[in-house]
Amino acid sequence: MKFEVYCDESMPDLFTTKKPASRYLMIGSLWLPNSYRNKIKNDIRSLREKHNTWGEIKWSKVSPSRLPFYLDLIDMFLSYNLELRFRCIAVDHAQINMSLHDNDSELGFYKFYYQMLHHWIYDFNEYRIFCDIKTNRDPERLKVLKRCLKYANLSSTIKDIQSLPSKQVVLIQLCDLLLGAANSRMNNTLKEGSAKNELVRHLQKMLGVKNLAPTPKSEEKFNIFKIRLNGGW
């Protein structure tokens, strides 16, 4: 089968600051068969028309006035069952040893990008991966990421990895929303009574979980991978 993956990140500055405001760097991904792309985009457009809500979909834009629209987006995501899946990686800033990444924060960032993607790439499928556009010091980062994924998954095809502006790609925007929800729980930023808190509580209820928290590897719909950088099992 042919799949598409839409990616976004949250708190990337945790690699470069000595006094981080949050604990976890988060990188997220939205996975779907490419045959579903247009249907999902049409569903999102229908929700925009229903709620008369336009502009970029973003976690930061969740507000009381827009909450009904965002609740419907969550329900739409859930309605696709395993045809539309979300996975993110949570990297604990306190556990990062930059010497293992040649003291190169950008290199470290893309190593975790690799970890987030690699474990959901299965044999005999084809993948196209779209990342939110990001200015890199080394312009070859995505080419190297593609090459590493290709060599690690010889029975699958990594057709392409490219960066696109999220303002033009609604599925990257949907990834941003879901990542924001996961990030808000992992970094404990939700405020009681806020629209974002209500949105997350709704997502948790519909997923049948008490809290958005690290999940087992086997979780296929909403997977939060908390990588252990200090060993253990």
Side-chain angles (χ1 to χ4, degrees):
M1 287 184 66
K2 295 182 179 181
F3 291 92
E4 294 180 354
V5 188
Y6 296 84
C7 306
D8 198 13
E9 71 270 351
S10 179
M11 308 294 177
D13 58 315
L14 292 188
F15 274 103
T16 56
T17 181
K18 293 182 178 179
K19 295 182 179 180
S22 300
R23 180 175 179 179
Y24 294 101
L25 159 76
M26 308 283 290
I27 308 172
S29 53
L30 187 71
W31 301 66
L32 59 144
N34 73 342
S35 59
Y36 278 75
R37 181 204 323 119
N38 289 337
K39 185 178 188 309
I40 294 168
K41 290 172 68 176
N42 287 337
D43 284 351
I44 293 173
R45 181 171 182 83
S46 294
L47 291 178
R48 289 186 185 278
E49 292 172 348
K50 173 184 175 182
H51 295 281
N52 193 27
T53 300
W54 307 94
E56 191 172 2
I57 296 167
K58 288 180 70 70
W59 171 253
S60 62
K61 291 188 176 182
V62 176
S63 64
S65 64
R66 296 187 177 193
L67 182 59
F69 169 66
Y70 281 103
L71 287 170
D72 275 357
L73 274 178
I74 293 296
D75 288 343
M76 184 218 70
F77 164 72
L78 295 167
S79 73
Y80 277 89
N81 298 315
L82 295 184
E83 301 300 341
L84 186 59
R85 305 191 296 155
F86 174 78
R87 172 176 166 83
C88 66
I89 185 172
V91 184
D92 189 339
H93 174 272
Q95 295 180 4
I96 297 173
N97 181 351
M98 290 308 302
S99 67
L100 298 177
H101 310 293
D102 299 331
N103 292 310
D104 184 336
S105 60
E106 190 176 277
L107 173 61
F109 175 81
Y110 280 100
K111 284 184 178 181
F112 293 120
Y113 227 118
Y114 168 89
Q115 289 293 331
M116 186 265 298
L117 292 167
H118 169 61
H119 299 285
W120 267 21
I121 291 175
Y122 299 132
D123 293 342
F124 314 119
N125 292 320
E126 178 181 297
Y127 296 87
R128 298 187 70 204
I129 301 167
F130 305 96
C131 309
D132 190 11
I133 199 163
K134 184 176 183 293
T135 301
N136 292 316
R137 186 185 66 260
D138 182 346
E140 300 296 306
R141 292 297 187 196
L142 291 184
K143 291 181 181 179
V144 173
L145 177 59
K146 178 183 177 182
R147 185 166 67 246
C148 291
L149 287 169
K150 179 180 177 181
Y151 289 160
N153 299 278
L154 295 177
S155 297
S156 56
T157 300
I158 310 301
K159 187 72 172 179
D160 193 22
I161 301 182
Q162 59 178 297
S163 59
L164 298 172
S166 61
K167 289 184 178 181
Q168 300 175 17
V169 185
V170 72
L171 294 175
I172 293 180
Q173 296 172 31
L174 181 56
C175 180
D176 176 279
L177 177 66
L178 298 172
L179 181 62
N183 177 60
S184 71
R185 278 299 190 211
M186 292 298 296
N187 280 310
N188 195 28
T189 61
L190 283 177
K191 295 181 180 179
E192 193 66 33
S194 68
K196 289 177 179 177
N197 187 60
E198 186 172 341
L199 187 70
V200 170
R201 288 170 65 90
H202 178 72
L203 175 58
Q204 291 170 168
K205 178 182 177 181
M206 299 304 291
L207 288 171
V209 298
K210 184 176 180 180
N211 280 306
L212 296 182
T215 61
K217 185 178 180 180
S218 58
E219 169 57 39
E220 294 184 301
K221 181 62 178 179
F222 200 98
N223 184 288
I224 301 177
F225 169 34
K226 180 183 174 184
I227 190 168
R228 296 188 181 97
L229 300 178
N230 57 358
W233 56 7

